[in-house]
Amino acid sequence: MKTFNYHTPKDVKEASNLASTSSAFLAGGMTTIPSLKLGLATYKDIIDIKSIKKLSGIKVSGKSVTIGATTKHAEVAASKEVQKAIPALAKLAGNIGDAQVRNRGTIGGSISNNDPSACYPSACMALNAVIHTNSRKIPAEKFFTGMFETALKKGELVEAVEFQVPEKADYQKHPNPASRYAIIGVFVAKHKKEVNVAVTGAKSCVYIDKDLSKKLSSSFSSSAIEGMKVDDSEMNSDMHASSEYRANLVSLYAKKAVEAC
Ligand SMILES: Cc1cc2nc3c(=O)[nH]c(=O)nc-3n(C[C@H](O)[C@H](O)[C@H](O)COP(=O)(O)OP(=O)(O)OC[C@H]3O[C@@H](n4cnc5c(N)ncnc54)[C@H](O)[C@@H]3O)c2cc1C
């Protein structure tokens, strides 16, 4: 591992000011530390944001659930308030990786990293989330811009993620048996006026399946999407699953999610 400067800023402003093109924020370190150790990334400055109090915690109101950026997956999974307001979100967090990952990994790190197989981005898209940063509020559909790419600018920090409480929701994941990342993950959320079906693991970036969403918006039942064919032309194909297989799983898991709602 190459050497780097290690910083422990006292607040968000100081953390943001320390950022450069050769720095990384350290939340749980679940991506950053292995990347450094394996030589996949090198940074001049590591900016540890774990002890900035403002970035951690969960707030639930009637209409929204707001989760601070450094809140760990295990905390979201165990939160009685999240379990009550959006049980699908607590379930998603409780099925990320293994116990070690859930006790270190954070929601801010997950969405900022935007791994194409990560679970939280699909919840953000389906639950009309708004990403609060230190300088603006970004709707989820504008936040996730490509593979490992987001709308975040240099020095911009995610402070919290605000999820809209749906009428019903469920998340179904076909996990990679080794890492538990999603080979396919489908998050279905039924809101008052629309249904969103967000898919992760299938393409280079999380997306809303417009056809499934439209069908379910007019009739929220698994029979409405029974046997619906999903286009596989832009889907990932690798040693774990072909694009055809992934497309079939999207349709199947959307149906499973509706049935579990
Ligand atoms: C073995 C293993 C299995 C996993 N399985 C799953 C899984 O099943 N599902 C899933 O969704 N994920 C999974 N993950 C990912 C994991 O849950 C973490 O969310 C992810 O690795 C990011 O880690 P972290 O939160 O510790 O962030 P870090 O590693 O500390 O940071 C990651 C990146 O995000 C940036 N960053 C961190 N916080 C902020 C912030 N507040 N604002 C702006 N930028 C920020 C950093 O600069 C860095 O570039 C797995 C990871 C591992 C190692």
mmCIF file of all heavy atoms in Angstrom, residues 24-32 49 69 73 95-97 101 104-106 108-110 112-113 118-120 152 156-158 173 179-181, ligand 1:
data_model
loop_
_atom_site.group_PDB
_atom_site.id
_atom_site.type_symbol
_atom_site.label_atom_id
_atom_site.label_comp_id
_atom_site.label_asym_id
_atom_site.label_seq_id
_atom_site.Cartn_x
_atom_site.Cartn_y
_atom_site.Cartn_z
ATOM 1 N N ALA A 24 -9.832 10.667 -1.031
ATOM 2 C CA ALA A 24 -11.083 9.900 -0.866
ATOM 3 C C ALA A 24 -11.580 10.149 0.541
ATOM 4 O O ALA A 24 -10.796 10.326 1.478
ATOM 5 C CB ALA A 24 -10.832 8.414 -1.073
ATOM 6 N N PHE A 25 -12.924 10.198 0.655
ATOM 7 C CA PHE A 25 -13.510 10.246 1.995
ATOM 8 C C PHE A 25 -13.499 8.818 2.534
ATOM 9 O O PHE A 25 -13.745 7.855 1.785
ATOM 10 C CB PHE A 25 -14.944 10.773 1.937
ATOM 11 C CG PHE A 25 -15.031 12.204 1.482
ATOM 12 C CD1 PHE A 25 -15.723 12.548 0.327
ATOM 13 C CD2 PHE A 25 -14.416 13.209 2.210
ATOM 14 C CE1 PHE A 25 -15.797 13.874 -0.096
ATOM 15 C CE2 PHE A 25 -14.486 14.541 1.795
ATOM 16 C CZ PHE A 25 -15.177 14.866 0.640
ATOM 17 N N LEU A 26 -13.233 8.688 3.822
ATOM 18 C CA LEU A 26 -13.262 7.365 4.441
ATOM 19 C C LEU A 26 -14.503 7.280 5.309
ATOM 20 O O LEU A 26 -14.610 7.956 6.323
ATOM 21 C CB LEU A 26 -12.005 7.140 5.285
ATOM 22 C CG LEU A 26 -11.829 5.738 5.831
ATOM 23 C CD1 LEU A 26 -11.463 4.756 4.725
ATOM 24 C CD2 LEU A 26 -10.746 5.704 6.919
ATOM 25 N N ALA A 27 -15.475 6.463 4.871
ATOM 26 C CA ALA A 27 -16.700 6.276 5.658
ATOM 27 C C ALA A 27 -16.520 4.982 6.444
ATOM 28 O O ALA A 27 -15.957 4.983 7.540
ATOM 29 C CB ALA A 27 -17.908 6.248 4.731
ATOM 30 N N GLY A 28 -16.917 3.834 5.858
ATOM 31 C CA GLY A 28 -16.650 2.554 6.521
ATOM 32 C C GLY A 28 -15.367 1.920 5.987
ATOM 33 O O GLY A 28 -14.848 0.964 6.562
ATOM 34 N N GLY A 29 -14.881 2.430 4.853
ATOM 35 C CA GLY A 29 -13.654 1.893 4.242
ATOM 36 C C GLY A 29 -13.853 0.575 3.512
ATOM 37 O O GLY A 29 -12.887 -0.042 3.061
ATOM 38 N N MET A 30 -15.088 0.136 3.363
ATOM 39 C CA MET A 30 -15.351 -1.191 2.783
ATOM 40 C C MET A 30 -14.962 -1.293 1.306
ATOM 41 O O MET A 30 -14.672 -2.381 0.816
ATOM 42 C CB MET A 30 -16.819 -1.578 2.967
ATOM 43 C CG MET A 30 -17.191 -1.994 4.369
ATOM 44 S SD MET A 30 -16.371 -3.534 4.874
ATOM 45 C CE MET A 30 -14.982 -2.932 5.783
ATOM 46 N N THR A 31 -14.941 -0.172 0.610
ATOM 47 C CA THR A 31 -14.432 -0.163 -0.762
ATOM 48 C C THR A 31 -13.039 0.463 -0.795
ATOM 49 O O THR A 31 -12.119 -0.056 -1.432
ATOM 50 C CB THR A 31 -15.383 0.644 -1.685
ATOM 51 O OG1 THR A 31 -16.589 -0.109 -1.832
ATOM 52 C CG2 THR A 31 -14.771 0.871 -3.056
ATOM 53 N N THR A 32 -12.895 1.566 -0.061
ATOM 54 C CA THR A 32 -11.637 2.327 -0.141
ATOM 55 C C THR A 32 -10.430 1.509 0.353
ATOM 56 O O THR A 32 -9.393 1.480 -0.315
ATOM 57 C CB THR A 32 -11.767 3.634 0.667
ATOM 58 O OG1 THR A 32 -12.853 4.363 0.106
ATOM 59 C CG2 THR A 32 -10.513 4.478 0.576
ATOM 60 N N ILE A 49 -14.345 10.661 7.658
ATOM 61 C CA ILE A 49 -15.539 11.442 8.038
ATOM 62 C C ILE A 49 -16.380 10.745 9.113
ATOM 63 O O ILE A 49 -17.455 11.211 9.453
ATOM 64 C CB ILE A 49 -16.411 11.749 6.788
ATOM 65 C CG1 ILE A 49 -16.825 10.446 6.071
ATOM 66 C CG2 ILE A 49 -15.698 12.696 5.849
ATOM 67 C CD1 ILE A 49 -17.846 10.656 4.959
ATOM 68 N N ALA A 69 -25.403 10.021 6.143
ATOM 69 C CA ALA A 69 -24.470 9.347 5.236
ATOM 70 C C ALA A 69 -23.608 8.272 5.886
ATOM 71 O O ALA A 69 -23.330 7.239 5.284
ATOM 72 C CB ALA A 69 -23.569 10.392 4.570
ATOM 73 N N HIS A 73 -25.106 -0.002 7.542
ATOM 74 C CA HIS A 73 -26.191 -0.882 7.067
ATOM 75 C C HIS A 73 -26.852 -1.600 8.249
ATOM 76 O O HIS A 73 -28.065 -1.764 8.289
ATOM 77 C CB HIS A 73 -25.659 -1.922 6.080
ATOM 78 C CG HIS A 73 -24.816 -1.349 4.979
ATOM 79 N ND1 HIS A 73 -25.103 -0.150 4.383
ATOM 80 C CD2 HIS A 73 -23.702 -1.818 4.361
ATOM 81 C CE1 HIS A 73 -24.191 0.097 3.445
ATOM 82 N NE2 HIS A 73 -23.333 -0.895 3.418
ATOM 83 N N ASN A 95 -29.620 -7.449 4.243
ATOM 84 C CA ASN A 95 -29.113 -8.497 3.343
ATOM 85 C C ASN A 95 -27.892 -8.053 2.541
ATOM 86 O O ASN A 95 -27.505 -8.699 1.570
ATOM 87 C CB ASN A 95 -30.219 -8.941 2.379
ATOM 88 C CG ASN A 95 -31.227 -9.822 3.087
ATOM 89 O OD1 ASN A 95 -30.855 -10.714 3.845
ATOM 90 N ND2 ASN A 95 -32.500 -9.550 2.893
ATOM 91 N N ILE A 96 -27.301 -6.940 2.937
ATOM 92 C CA ILE A 96 -26.068 -6.489 2.261
ATOM 93 C C ILE A 96 -24.896 -7.303 2.809
ATOM 94 O O ILE A 96 -24.727 -7.428 4.039
ATOM 95 C CB ILE A 96 -25.832 -4.978 2.495
ATOM 96 C CG1 ILE A 96 -26.851 -4.140 1.709
ATOM 97 C CG2 ILE A 96 -24.406 -4.586 2.117
ATOM 98 C CD1 ILE A 96 -26.745 -2.643 1.920
ATOM 99 N N GLY A 97 -24.089 -7.831 1.926
ATOM 100 C CA GLY A 97 -22.835 -8.506 2.300
ATOM 101 C C GLY A 97 -22.984 -9.450 3.473
ATOM 102 O O GLY A 97 -23.945 -10.217 3.575
ATOM 103 N N VAL A 101 -19.368 -6.530 6.856
ATOM 104 C CA VAL A 101 -19.639 -5.445 5.889
ATOM 105 C C VAL A 101 -20.770 -4.562 6.412
ATOM 106 O O VAL A 101 -20.699 -3.337 6.351
ATOM 107 C CB VAL A 101 -19.995 -6.040 4.499
ATOM 108 C CG1 VAL A 101 -20.531 -4.963 3.560
ATOM 109 C CG2 VAL A 101 -18.785 -6.717 3.875
ATOM 110 N N ARG A 104 -19.672 -2.074 9.042
ATOM 111 C CA ARG A 104 -18.718 -1.016 8.647
ATOM 112 C C ARG A 104 -19.274 -0.174 7.502
ATOM 113 O O ARG A 104 -19.117 1.038 7.484
ATOM 114 C CB ARG A 104 -17.382 -1.630 8.172
ATOM 115 C CG ARG A 104 -16.605 -2.426 9.183
ATOM 116 C CD ARG A 104 -16.020 -1.606 10.289
ATOM 117 N NE ARG A 104 -15.136 -0.550 9.829
ATOM 118 C CZ ARG A 104 -14.512 0.301 10.645
ATOM 119 N NH1 ARG A 104 -14.679 0.197 11.948
ATOM 120 N NH2 ARG A 104 -13.728 1.251 10.171
ATOM 121 N N GLY A 105 -19.896 -0.827 6.531
ATOM 122 C CA GLY A 105 -20.359 -0.139 5.319
ATOM 123 C C GLY A 105 -21.454 0.877 5.629
ATOM 124 O O GLY A 105 -22.251 0.691 6.553
ATOM 125 N N THR A 106 -21.492 1.943 4.835
ATOM 126 C CA THR A 106 -22.422 3.053 5.091
ATOM 127 C C THR A 106 -23.275 3.342 3.855
ATOM 128 O O THR A 106 -22.877 3.033 2.725
ATOM 129 C CB THR A 106 -21.639 4.335 5.425
ATOM 130 O OG1 THR A 106 -20.900 4.729 4.244
ATOM 131 C CG2 THR A 106 -20.672 4.130 6.583
ATOM 132 N N GLY A 108 -23.939 6.343 2.683
ATOM 133 C CA GLY A 108 -23.282 7.395 1.880
ATOM 134 C C GLY A 108 -22.188 6.816 1.009
ATOM 135 O O GLY A 108 -22.043 7.177 -0.166
ATOM 136 N N GLY A 109 -21.402 5.891 1.587
ATOM 137 C CA GLY A 109 -20.324 5.247 0.821
ATOM 138 C C GLY A 109 -20.890 4.406 -0.303
ATOM 139 O O GLY A 109 -20.362 4.392 -1.415
ATOM 140 N N SER A 110 -21.986 3.720 -0.012
ATOM 141 C CA SER A 110 -22.592 2.852 -1.031
ATOM 142 C C SER A 110 -23.069 3.665 -2.234
ATOM 143 O O SER A 110 -22.741 3.343 -3.375
ATOM 144 C CB SER A 110 -23.771 2.081 -0.412
ATOM 145 O OG SER A 110 -24.481 1.411 -1.420
ATOM 146 N N SER A 112 -22.301 6.791 -3.074
ATOM 147 C CA SER A 112 -21.240 7.597 -3.703
ATOM 148 C C SER A 112 -20.355 6.720 -4.578
ATOM 149 O O SER A 112 -19.844 7.162 -5.608
ATOM 150 C CB SER A 112 -20.372 8.279 -2.642
ATOM 151 O OG SER A 112 -21.170 9.047 -1.790
ATOM 152 N N ASN A 113 -20.174 5.483 -4.156
ATOM 153 C CA ASN A 113 -19.366 4.548 -4.943
ATOM 154 C C ASN A 113 -20.130 4.105 -6.193
ATOM 155 O O ASN A 113 -19.557 3.866 -7.243
ATOM 156 C CB ASN A 113 -19.009 3.348 -4.059
ATOM 157 C CG ASN A 113 -17.909 2.507 -4.620
ATOM 158 O OD1 ASN A 113 -16.896 3.042 -5.061
ATOM 159 N ND2 ASN A 113 -18.095 1.200 -4.633
ATOM 160 N N ALA A 118 -24.697 -2.647 -6.525
ATOM 161 C CA ALA A 118 -25.049 -2.284 -5.149
ATOM 162 C C ALA A 118 -26.565 -2.220 -4.974
ATOM 163 O O ALA A 118 -27.298 -1.932 -5.926
ATOM 164 C CB ALA A 118 -24.415 -0.944 -4.790
ATOM 165 N N CYS A 119 -27.001 -2.470 -3.746
ATOM 166 C CA CYS A 119 -28.448 -2.551 -3.468
ATOM 167 C C CYS A 119 -29.095 -1.180 -3.268
ATOM 168 O O CYS A 119 -30.164 -0.910 -3.826
ATOM 169 C CB CYS A 119 -28.664 -3.413 -2.220
ATOM 170 S SG CYS A 119 -27.983 -5.083 -2.368
ATOM 171 N N TYR A 120 -28.477 -0.317 -2.432
ATOM 172 C CA TYR A 120 -29.116 0.960 -2.078
ATOM 173 C C TYR A 120 -29.526 1.825 -3.280
ATOM 174 O O TYR A 120 -30.582 2.483 -3.227
ATOM 175 C CB TYR A 120 -28.209 1.790 -1.172
ATOM 176 C CG TYR A 120 -28.464 1.593 0.309
ATOM 177 C CD1 TYR A 120 -27.440 1.247 1.175
ATOM 178 C CD2 TYR A 120 -29.739 1.792 0.852
ATOM 179 C CE1 TYR A 120 -27.660 1.077 2.530
ATOM 180 C CE2 TYR A 120 -29.972 1.627 2.212
ATOM 181 C CZ TYR A 120 -28.933 1.272 3.038
ATOM 182 O OH TYR A 120 -29.174 1.119 4.378
ATOM 183 N N LEU A 152 -21.847 13.827 -8.027
ATOM 184 C CA LEU A 152 -21.062 14.537 -7.013
ATOM 185 C C LEU A 152 -19.867 15.254 -7.643
ATOM 186 O O LEU A 152 -19.172 14.692 -8.496
ATOM 187 C CB LEU A 152 -20.531 13.548 -5.961
ATOM 188 C CG LEU A 152 -21.551 12.960 -4.981
ATOM 189 C CD1 LEU A 152 -20.890 11.867 -4.129
ATOM 190 C CD2 LEU A 152 -22.162 14.038 -4.098
ATOM 191 N N GLU A 156 -17.622 17.547 -2.816
ATOM 192 C CA GLU A 156 -19.044 17.498 -2.419
ATOM 193 C C GLU A 156 -19.298 16.228 -1.596
ATOM 194 O O GLU A 156 -18.945 15.127 -2.017
ATOM 195 C CB GLU A 156 -19.931 17.507 -3.676
ATOM 196 C CG GLU A 156 -21.390 17.740 -3.360
ATOM 197 C CD GLU A 156 -22.226 17.987 -4.625
ATOM 198 O OE1 GLU A 156 -21.702 17.842 -5.749
ATOM 199 O OE2 GLU A 156 -23.415 18.303 -4.457
ATOM 200 N N LEU A 157 -19.905 16.402 -0.481
ATOM 201 C CA LEU A 157 -20.135 15.285 0.442
ATOM 202 C C LEU A 157 -21.613 14.967 0.541
ATOM 203 O O LEU A 157 -22.429 15.879 0.690
ATOM 204 C CB LEU A 157 -19.697 15.734 1.834
ATOM 205 C CG LEU A 157 -18.568 14.970 2.462
ATOM 206 C CD1 LEU A 157 -17.425 15.925 2.675
ATOM 207 C CD2 LEU A 157 -19.006 14.423 3.795
ATOM 208 N N VAL A 158 -21.948 13.708 0.506
ATOM 209 C CA VAL A 158 -23.318 13.309 0.804
ATOM 210 C C VAL A 158 -23.502 13.467 2.310
ATOM 211 O O VAL A 158 -22.695 12.964 3.093
ATOM 212 C CB VAL A 158 -23.585 11.840 0.387
ATOM 213 C CG1 VAL A 158 -24.957 11.379 0.866
ATOM 214 C CG2 VAL A 158 -23.463 11.678 -1.120
ATOM 215 N N LYS A 173 -33.582 -9.814 -4.233
ATOM 216 C CA LYS A 173 -32.211 -9.853 -4.762
ATOM 217 C C LYS A 173 -31.809 -11.281 -5.087
ATOM 218 O O LYS A 173 -32.072 -12.196 -4.298
ATOM 219 C CB LYS A 173 -31.273 -9.250 -3.713
ATOM 220 C CG LYS A 173 -29.797 -9.501 -3.968
ATOM 221 C CD LYS A 173 -28.899 -8.574 -3.151
ATOM 222 C CE LYS A 173 -28.609 -9.062 -1.771
ATOM 223 N NZ LYS A 173 -27.465 -8.357 -1.139
ATOM 224 N N SER A 179 -20.056 -12.686 -2.689
ATOM 225 C CA SER A 179 -20.030 -11.337 -2.089
ATOM 226 C C SER A 179 -21.379 -10.882 -1.544
ATOM 227 O O SER A 179 -21.422 -9.988 -0.706
ATOM 228 C CB SER A 179 -19.582 -10.330 -3.146
ATOM 229 O OG SER A 179 -20.618 -10.146 -4.111
ATOM 230 N N ARG A 180 -22.452 -11.457 -2.055
ATOM 231 C CA ARG A 180 -23.838 -11.055 -1.754
ATOM 232 C C ARG A 180 -24.271 -9.798 -2.518
ATOM 233 O O ARG A 180 -25.381 -9.312 -2.343
ATOM 234 C CB ARG A 180 -24.132 -10.855 -0.250
ATOM 235 C CG ARG A 180 -23.541 -11.867 0.687
ATOM 236 C CD ARG A 180 -23.932 -13.271 0.403
ATOM 237 N NE ARG A 180 -25.344 -13.576 0.642
ATOM 238 C CZ ARG A 180 -25.924 -14.709 0.263
ATOM 239 N NH1 ARG A 180 -25.238 -15.621 -0.394
ATOM 240 N NH2 ARG A 180 -27.179 -14.909 0.515
ATOM 241 N N TYR A 181 -23.360 -9.204 -3.308
ATOM 242 C CA TYR A 181 -23.781 -8.117 -4.205
ATOM 243 C C TYR A 181 -24.872 -8.680 -5.117
ATOM 244 O O TYR A 181 -24.966 -9.900 -5.322
ATOM 245 C CB TYR A 181 -22.613 -7.678 -5.099
ATOM 246 C CG TYR A 181 -21.759 -6.553 -4.543
ATOM 247 C CD1 TYR A 181 -20.469 -6.807 -4.074
ATOM 248 C CD2 TYR A 181 -22.213 -5.246 -4.533
ATOM 249 C CE1 TYR A 181 -19.658 -5.780 -3.588
ATOM 250 C CE2 TYR A 181 -21.415 -4.212 -4.057
ATOM 251 C CZ TYR A 181 -20.156 -4.481 -3.588
ATOM 252 O OH TYR A 181 -19.363 -3.464 -3.117
HETATM 253 C C1 LIG B 1 -17.351 -8.356 0.761
HETATM 254 C C2 LIG B 1 -18.303 -7.242 0.441
HETATM 255 C C3 LIG B 1 -19.621 -7.539 0.164
HETATM 256 C C4 LIG B 1 -20.523 -6.515 -0.159
HETATM 257 N N1 LIG B 1 -21.820 -6.838 -0.456
HETATM 258 C C5 LIG B 1 -22.681 -5.860 -0.800
HETATM 259 C C6 LIG B 1 -24.043 -6.139 -1.089
HETATM 260 O O1 LIG B 1 -24.515 -7.274 -0.996
HETATM 261 N N2 LIG B 1 -24.845 -5.115 -1.460
HETATM 262 C C7 LIG B 1 -24.400 -3.809 -1.511
HETATM 263 O O2 LIG B 1 -25.171 -2.914 -1.840
HETATM 264 N N3 LIG B 1 -23.117 -3.514 -1.193
HETATM 265 C C8 LIG B 1 -22.269 -4.490 -0.832
HETATM 266 N N4 LIG B 1 -20.980 -4.164 -0.491
HETATM 267 C C9 LIG B 1 -20.601 -2.731 -0.473
HETATM 268 C C10 LIG B 1 -20.613 -2.166 0.965
HETATM 269 O O3 LIG B 1 -21.859 -2.390 1.534
HETATM 270 C C11 LIG B 1 -20.284 -0.663 1.089
HETATM 271 O O4 LIG B 1 -21.448 0.125 1.055
HETATM 272 C C12 LIG B 1 -19.399 -0.144 0.009
HETATM 273 O O5 LIG B 1 -18.267 -0.983 -0.103
HETATM 274 C C13 LIG B 1 -18.906 1.276 0.370
HETATM 275 O O6 LIG B 1 -18.202 1.177 1.571
HETATM 276 P P1 LIG B 1 -18.197 2.283 2.691
HETATM 277 O O7 LIG B 1 -19.572 2.731 2.983
HETATM 278 O O8 LIG B 1 -17.394 1.746 3.796
HETATM 279 O O9 LIG B 1 -17.487 3.535 1.957
HETATM 280 P P2 LIG B 1 -15.907 3.810 1.763
HETATM 281 O O10 LIG B 1 -15.230 2.577 1.295
HETATM 282 O O11 LIG B 1 -15.362 4.453 2.972
HETATM 283 O O12 LIG B 1 -15.988 4.890 0.571
HETATM 284 C C14 LIG B 1 -16.355 4.462 -0.726
HETATM 285 C C15 LIG B 1 -16.324 5.655 -1.705
HETATM 286 O O13 LIG B 1 -17.384 6.539 -1.400
HETATM 287 C C16 LIG B 1 -16.889 7.859 -1.129
HETATM 288 N N5 LIG B 1 -17.674 8.355 -0.003
HETATM 289 C C17 LIG B 1 -17.906 7.723 1.175
HETATM 290 N N6 LIG B 1 -18.760 8.435 1.930
HETATM 291 C C18 LIG B 1 -19.055 9.552 1.216
HETATM 292 C C19 LIG B 1 -19.890 10.676 1.462
HETATM 293 N N7 LIG B 1 -20.604 10.812 2.585
HETATM 294 N N8 LIG B 1 -19.969 11.634 0.502
HETATM 295 C C20 LIG B 1 -19.286 11.519 -0.654
HETATM 296 N N9 LIG B 1 -18.486 10.478 -0.946
HETATM 297 C C21 LIG B 1 -18.378 9.494 -0.022
HETATM 298 C C22 LIG B 1 -15.412 7.701 -0.834
HETATM 299 O O14 LIG B 1 -14.693 8.860 -1.230
HETATM 300 C C23 LIG B 1 -15.041 6.483 -1.658
HETATM 301 O O15 LIG B 1 -14.764 6.879 -2.994
HETATM 302 C C24 LIG B 1 -20.077 -5.164 -0.176
HETATM 303 C C25 LIG B 1 -18.741 -4.859 0.127
HETATM 304 C C26 LIG B 1 -17.851 -5.869 0.448
HETATM 305 C C27 LIG B 1 -16.433 -5.522 0.777
#
